[in-house]
Amino acid sequence: MFIKIFFLQIYSQIRSLYLIFCNIFQASETRLYPEESLKLSSRYRGRIVLTRTKTGEERCVACGLCAAVCPVSCISLQKTEDKTGRWRSEFFRINFSRCIFCGLCEEACPTLAIQLIPDVELGDYEYKNLIYEKKDLLISGTGKYDDYDYYSFSGVTLKKTKIKKFFHKKKNVDIKSLLP
Amino acid sequence: MIFFSILTNFLYKFFIIFIVLICIIFCASMLSIVERKFLAYFQNRIGPNRVGWNGWLQLLADGIKILFKEDWIPPFSDQYIFCIAPLISFLTLLFVLFTIPIKKNFFIVDLNIGILFFFMMTSISVYGILLAGWSSQNKYSLLGAIRASAQMLSYEIFLGLSTMGVIAQSGSFNLIKIINSQKIIWNVIPQFFGFITFFIAILAICHRHPFDQPESEQELSDGYHIEYSGMKFGMFFIGEYISMITGASMITILFFGGGNGPIFPEYVWFILKTFFCILFFILCRASLPRPKYIHVMKFSWRICLPLTLLNLFFTAFFILYFKK
Ligand code: SF4
Ligand code: SF4
């Protein structure tokens, strides 16, 4: 028995030597990043943007949920109110030198305003340049979610009839899931 | 006049030694790049590829970095021993390279006791590690040093015995005579078990994977040279590659017939064979996991020692039977 195990072990060592040697003929798995461009999936968590609705309105309602959930507290924002009573952020600041790109803010946001996009090239020589203000964060598009508009079924300016219509249309929405 | 001729002779020898020394050290440091490249190829990576064409000038960058790093001697260490230790491990196996005949008439010293000198130097080279680990007053380095000495206890016993078959066949300790005795057939075939055990012993001498317990980067975070920096670390580092070259050329001489071979001149064959040995070392590093040092000891006392004894026994039997 001992001899059998011994020879089996020797065989396995030689086999692993052989297998590793065969690797030399295979192509390398490494991607030469700066020369080759990156191809990241659209779910990749990179730079954070604030998006707008289809009509060009800011989505963010300054509820502060993203700042509350952020594990490294790198979001800071201040709420103001419109004449109509709609909330929006007075300033919205993300410190990318602290952000760990965990994506929790995106999951917490009820209006899908804050989104992480697959852009990872954020390097800079100064910390100061990594603090992004609202004008740097806000983009003019809708981001990853095209037809979502929080204010179409909630908010102070809305009339009740419309809400009913909306829920009537989309009955089977899983309201408990935070995932898109 | 006689004085003058002695002087020129001396200068000539000195010049040759100097050239060989520079070549060896350059090859050893180049080997670090070669190793990294080949390790990368074995693992489907690319390896260093930024400096120079495909990264072959990486040596320059490494050299500049190591030369200009602060050479820090820890104040809590045993300072003299701390400084001597890298010298020992750098020089001992370098000395062995001087006795190695690359061609039949190209060597620096022709020792009648070539192999014994090699054994002697390998035993001394352990002191480099031992002293380094002990003098730097660090738990990890001490553990590394202990492991190194435990490993020495395991490989030294069969290192000598594994070459005895070769020596008995050629009837001499002289390396050139050993090469000449392999004209008909290389020693790998008649001395196969001797070759395997000697190969394992050489791996252990160089502290290469899978016998790098004194270093074991994962558990001891570099083991015996954890406190070293700058050029002292570089000496350990290059010393390892020099011992690799020494070991590989020893294997070439003892078991692969040194420079013997058709068509090409001797030194080409010698360098080729040595290079293939070194490649095999690198392959071993890429593929085999590291055992515990207790297991190494068990393996060497229970398996390698009987194997070498059997090999020696049969060699002796055949020599007595055929030569009467
Ligand atoms: S980004 Fe989303 S979670 Fe953050 S304040 Fe605006 S609406 Fe609230
Ligand atoms: S990705 Fe994570 S760390 Fe970055 S802002 Fe959002 S919650 Fe904070």
Side-chain angles (χ1 to χ4, degrees), chain A residues 48 66 69-72 74-75 94 99-105 116:
Chain A
I48 299 174
C66 53
V69 80
C70 179
V72 291
C74 66
I75 304 179
I94 297 183
C99 177
I100 56 175
F101 302 102
C102 60
L104 287 181
C105 49
L116 277 76

Side-chain angles (χ1 to χ4, degrees), chain A residues 5-38:
Chain A
I5 290 175
F6 174 71
F7 277 106
L8 268 182
Q9 279 174 352
I10 287 195
Y11 167 73
S12 93
Q13 304 280 311
I14 292 172
R15 184 168 169 270
S16 67
L17 277 178
Y18 169 73
L19 287 181
I20 296 289
F21 179 73
C22 285
N23 269 348
I24 210 170
F25 302 112
Q26 275 164 18
S28 130
E29 300 281 345
T30 314
R31 280 182 231 163
L32 296 166
Y33 158 54
E35 283 101 45
E36 251 174 63
S37 60
L38 275 183

Side-chain angles (χ1 to χ4, degrees), chain A residues 2 6 13 16-17 20-21 23-24 26-30 32-35, chain B residues 38 41-46 49-50 280 283-284 286-289 299 303:
Chain A
F2 169 76
F6 174 71
Q13 304 280 311
S16 67
L17 277 178
I20 296 289
F21 179 73
N23 269 348
I24 210 170
Q26 275 164 18
S28 130
E29 300 281 345
T30 314
L32 296 166
Y33 158 54
E35 283 101 45
Chain B
F38 271 98
Y41 290 143
F42 286 136
Q43 296 166 348
N44 285 353
R45 292 184 286 119
I46 289 179
N49 68 340
R50 293 290 144 173
F280 202 71
L283 179 61
C284 283
S287 46
L288 299 184
F299 173 71
I303 291 160

Side-chain angles (χ1 to χ4, degrees), chain A residues 50 59-66 77 92 108-111 113-114:
Chain A
L50 287 175
R59 269 177 176 159
C60 177
V61 292
C63 63
L65 282 178
C66 53
L77 67 137
F92 197 103
C109 180
T111 63
I114 196 164

Side-chain angles (χ1 to χ4, degrees), chain A residues 15-171:
Chain A
R15 184 168 169 270
S16 67
L17 277 178
Y18 169 73
L19 287 181
I20 296 289
F21 179 73
C22 285
N23 269 348
I24 210 170
F25 302 112
Q26 275 164 18
S28 130
E29 300 281 345
T30 314
R31 280 182 231 163
L32 296 166
Y33 158 54
E35 283 101 45
E36 251 174 63
S37 60
L38 275 183
K39 288 188 201 78
L40 297 173
S41 108
S42 63
R43 294 183 54 168
Y44 200 90
R45 301 197 299 264
R47 181 162 61 87
I48 299 174
V49 290
L50 287 175
T51 54
R52 294 172 189 272
T53 58
K54 250 182 180 172
T55 50
E57 281 241 18
E58 275 176 46
R59 269 177 176 159
C60 177
V61 292
C63 63
L65 282 178
C66 53
V69 80
C70 179
V72 291
S73 323
C74 66
I75 304 179
S76 65
L77 67 137
Q78 173 89 55
K79 182 207 90 179
T80 55
E81 232 175 85
D82 267 1
K83 275 172 203 154
T84 52
R86 187 209 192 275
W87 287 13
R88 58 181 77 243
S89 51
E90 190 176 1
F91 67 82
F92 197 103
R93 193 174 294 142
I94 297 183
N95 187 348
F96 277 109
S97 63
R98 283 170 77 176
C99 177
I100 56 175
F101 302 102
C102 60
L104 287 181
C105 49
E106 181 173 5
E107 282 185 37
C109 180
T111 63
L112 296 183
I114 196 164
Q115 289 177 16
L116 277 76
I117 58 169
D119 170 22
V120 290
E121 287 156 344
L122 282 168
D124 208 308
Y125 289 103
E126 287 205 39
Y127 285 129
K128 224 170 51 191
N129 299 344
L130 284 171
I131 299 171
Y132 278 42
E133 294 292 339
K134 191 173 174 181
K135 66 173 186 328
D136 309 319
L137 293 166
L138 204 62
I139 61 169
S140 48
T142 54
K144 286 183 260 185
Y145 313 101
D146 215 19
D147 51 357
Y148 184 79
D149 187 3
Y150 177 77
Y151 268 92
S152 65
F153 60 91
S154 174
V156 281
T157 53
L158 219 64
K159 275 161 202 146
K160 262 192 178 168
T161 47
K162 274 186 187 169
I163 302 171
K164 268 181 192 166
K165 244 189 206 167
F166 187 84
F167 279 113
H168 196 70
K169 256 193 241 164
K170 290 189 178 178
K171 226 175 199 172

Side-chain angles (χ1 to χ4, degrees), chain B residues 9-187:
Chain B
N9 200 5
F10 176 77
L11 277 181
Y12 174 69
K13 283 235 159 135
F14 188 81
F15 180 70
I16 283 194
I17 291 176
F18 187 72
I19 294 284
V20 169
L21 197 65
I22 294 288
C23 279
I24 288 168
I25 291 176
F26 178 74
C27 285
S29 28
M30 205 56 204
L31 206 56
S32 72
I33 310 302
V34 173
E35 170 168 36
R36 279 164 72 183
K37 271 282 181 197
F38 271 98
L39 275 184
Y41 290 143
F42 286 136
Q43 296 166 348
N44 285 353
R45 292 184 286 119
I46 289 179
N49 68 340
R50 293 290 144 173
V51 194
W53 181 78
N54 252 336
W56 287 108
L57 284 182
Q58 182 74 29
L59 178 61
L60 217 64
D62 286 355
I64 290 171
K65 183 201 163 205
I66 264 186
L67 274 179
F68 287 96
K69 234 179 172 182
E70 187 190 354
D71 200 356
W72 188 67
I73 300 173
F76 47 81
S77 69
D78 220 322
Q79 306 200 351
Y80 293 111
I81 300 178
F82 189 84
C83 297
I84 288 172
L87 265 182
I88 294 176
S89 69
F90 181 74
L91 287 183
T92 45
L93 283 166
L94 187 64
F95 286 154
V96 178
L97 270 180
F98 291 151
T99 69
I100 280 172
I102 296 173
K103 273 165 66 173
K104 282 221 181 65
N105 42 16
F106 184 85
F107 43 79
I108 292 169
V109 270
D110 178 20
L111 286 179
N112 271 331
I113 52 156
I115 294 184
L116 289 186
F117 184 71
F118 170 68
F119 292 158
M120 200 175 86
M121 281 305 168
T122 52
S123 338
I124 292 178
S125 75
V126 176
Y127 282 95
I129 294 172
L130 209 62
L131 294 179
W134 176 70
S135 68
S136 43
Q137 308 257 359
N138 182 316
K139 275 180 214 156
Y140 291 120
S141 57
L142 187 62
L143 279 176
I146 291 170
R147 287 183 185 188
S149 44
Q151 212 179 64
M152 192 199 74
L153 289 183
S154 19
Y155 69 72
E156 287 256 299
I157 37 152
F158 65 86
L159 169 65
L161 284 173
S162 62
T163 55
M164 279 307 145
V166 175
I167 294 165
Q169 271 195 338
S170 67
S172 168
F173 284 110
N174 191 322
L175 294 178
I176 296 175
K177 281 189 185 148
I178 288 175
I179 293 176
N180 285 340
S181 76
Q182 302 178 50
K183 279 255 165 67
I184 305 164
I185 188 165
W186 289 352
N187 268 336

